[in-house]
Amino acid sequence: MPDHTAADSAGDRPRVLHLISDPRRAGAQNLARDLHRELRRRGQASALCALAPRPAVPAPRPAAARPGPCTVGGTAPDACGQPCPDPAGPRVTVLGPGRLRPATLRALRSAARAADVVLAHGSDTLAACALALAGTGTPFVYVSVGHPRYWTANRLRRLRGAALMHRAAAVTTLTDEARQVLEEQFRLPAGKVRVIPISRAAESYPPADGRAERRAARHALGLPADVLLVAWIGAIAPEKRLDLALDVLDRLPDVRLAVAGDGPLRESLARHPAAARAHFLGALPDPVPLYRAADALLLTSDNEGVPGALIEAALAGVPAVATDVGWVREVVRDGATGALVAPGDPLALAEALAKVLACNRAGLGAAARAHALAHFELGAVVDAWQRLVGEVWTGDPSSH
């Protein structure tokens, strides 16, 4: 069992290890980074590790260069072995060459010895923790940021999801509806699934202060200064429907699209007729400059949970046009902070985007920021995270 007497001396708080799949800037990873920073700011020992390198890395590093075990706490800036550079936030240690490779799982098992509770951010980390932490006595919490549809698509996936989630000490999800789905589909006991809203640190997403800052952000990204610029952020994968965004662009000749992300469809979509007015930026190390450069954000997905990019854009004062899927409407208020459109309809998306770009974008952006600050700012929910971690560490469910 973990040595509870070795916990953080600042109030005897448990030492936390945040585990992410890889060091990219994406939804689950961004939440882990922000939560890690906030816990450290509050004086709680916290470390941040990734299972594997960024997917774009073509080959694993030589064995001699791989990091050693993480250490949690202490005085090192982000004491977690050897860091993977991240210019936009905390340094991240890469544990191994692949997400579920034996060497990676051994490194995770070793890293967890220095932690009292592991927070597993994302589905890949759930499987890794269930395998690597078996028999160690170190509990882990699965942080689910997607839609339960991922786990319930077919019988095999449901069986796998149930087996993995039952290994977790607790599961967090974003809404009461998602909690009910998880409890019913996987027969998880009452109290095991906790609802903690998705959140971001507002200070990490400052709005552009006027036209000069917006122009400077565009210049830094190599984007044109004096055009209507719409941001699209995500994996260039089938479910994200970048093809729809390009179809929208085809209908709005005065608009440019900045695409931040990479994926299997990038090469084929770069041949789309409207791609000449799209700027493919690749996977940005930090999305903030793009939010500061954009006039609006476009989300075209066929399915989502609560997309972190919508919250980040809102905090940056950027209105959004989004497909009405998952719990997107929790973030985008149709007509007040942006626009919602049924999925799969490029004409409706184009009409909605044209309307948002033509109206009071500053007013919509200010309303989006106010809504995000009221409902999704990290400081408002970190107390809930600290309570949950404390309960998992001590085994005390008294505040459920």
Side-chain angles (χ1 to χ4, degrees):
M1 295 292 290
D3 178 6
H4 289 182
T5 63
D8 186 352
S9 60
D12 292 328
R13 287 169 293 192
R15 300 163 300 175
V16 178
L17 171 61
H18 299 271
L19 184 67
I20 56 180
S21 60
D22 56 64
R24 290 175 299 172
R25 299 288 303 187
Q29 292 94 323
N30 288 350
L31 172 60
R33 284 178 170 91
D34 284 352
L35 185 55
H36 165 65
R37 276 193 295 256
E38 183 60 24
L39 290 178
R40 287 180 66 83
R41 180 181 299 168
R42 295 186 179 200
Q44 185 158 0
S46 178
L48 179 63
C49 293
L51 289 171
R54 299 171 188 267
V57 175
R61 291 171 290 173
R66 290 177 191 159
C70 297
T71 56
V72 183
T75 58
D78 288 290
C80 194
Q82 298 180 9
C84 174
D86 177 8
R91 294 174 296 172
V92 181
T93 293
V94 174
L95 293 174
R99 296 180 183 182
L100 295 178
R101 296 276 290 274
T104 305
L105 298 179
R106 288 194 297 269
L108 173 56
R109 190 177 180 91
S110 178
R113 293 193 187 106
D116 297 296
V117 177
V118 176
L119 295 184
H121 297 265
S123 57
D124 288 321
T125 64
L126 169 61
C129 284
L131 292 169
L133 304 186
T136 65
T138 301
F140 73 93
V141 176
Y142 170 47
V143 183
S144 173
V145 298
H147 198 289
R149 183 184 297 112
Y150 174 84
W151 293 107
T152 58
N154 56 57
R155 184 172 181 273
L156 181 60
R157 190 170 285 177
R158 286 194 294 274
L159 290 172
R160 178 176 179 267
L164 295 174
M165 290 185 207
H166 277 274
R167 297 294 299 275
V171 175
T172 70
T173 192
L174 304 177
T175 68
D176 276 323
E177 182 183 347
R179 175 188 57 78
Q180 292 169 9
V181 171
L182 291 172
E183 288 178 344
E184 292 170 3
Q185 291 288 334
F186 307 120
R187 299 183 180 180
L188 298 174
K192 183 162 188 167
V193 183
R194 306 288 288 275
V195 176
I196 302 182
I198 193 169
S199 57
R200 292 289 189 270
E203 65 191 43
S204 297
Y205 305 95
D209 186 12
R211 185 179 179 186
E213 287 195 2
R214 180 165 282 109
R215 287 172 63 94
R218 293 184 180 190
H219 177 75
L221 292 169
L223 297 170
D226 296 312
V227 297
L228 288 172
L229 183 70
V230 175
W232 187 97
I233 298 177
I236 306 180
E239 69 277 6
K240 299 298 183 180
R241 298 301 306 271
L242 177 58
D243 61 308
L244 278 180
L246 292 170
D247 288 345
V248 168
L249 192 63
D250 209 20
R251 291 168 166 81
L252 301 175
D254 295 330
V255 175
R256 298 288 188 95
L257 186 71
V259 178
D262 212 338
L265 299 182
R266 175 173 175 168
E267 185 176 344
S268 63
L269 290 177
R271 297 192 293 269
H272 189 284
R277 287 186 288 113
H279 303 267
F280 288 84
L281 304 176
L284 295 178
D286 180 8
V288 171
L290 182 53
Y291 295 132
R292 292 165 66 82
D295 293 303
L297 179 75
L298 179 62
L299 183 140
T300 49
S301 302
D302 280 341
N303 63 76
E304 288 284 358
V306 181
L310 290 178
I311 295 172
E312 294 165 6
L315 288 170
V318 179
V321 174
T323 45
D324 190 7
V325 295
W327 299 290
V328 164
R329 61 176 50 243
E330 298 282 331
V331 185
V332 180
R333 296 301 172 93
D334 190 34
T337 70
L340 293 173
V341 177
D345 188 341
L347 178 59
L349 281 166
E351 291 174 348
L353 182 58
K355 186 174 181 180
V356 164
L357 291 173
C359 72
N360 179 15
R361 295 194 302 274
L364 287 174
R369 178 170 169 80
H371 178 68
L373 287 171
H375 296 89
F376 304 108
E377 210 287 313
L378 183 68
V381 300
V382 170
D383 287 347
W385 282 110
Q386 288 188 296
R387 284 194 300 271
L388 176 59
V389 167
E391 293 165 17
V392 168
W393 176 51
T394 62
D396 178 12
S398 58
S399 63
H400 281 192

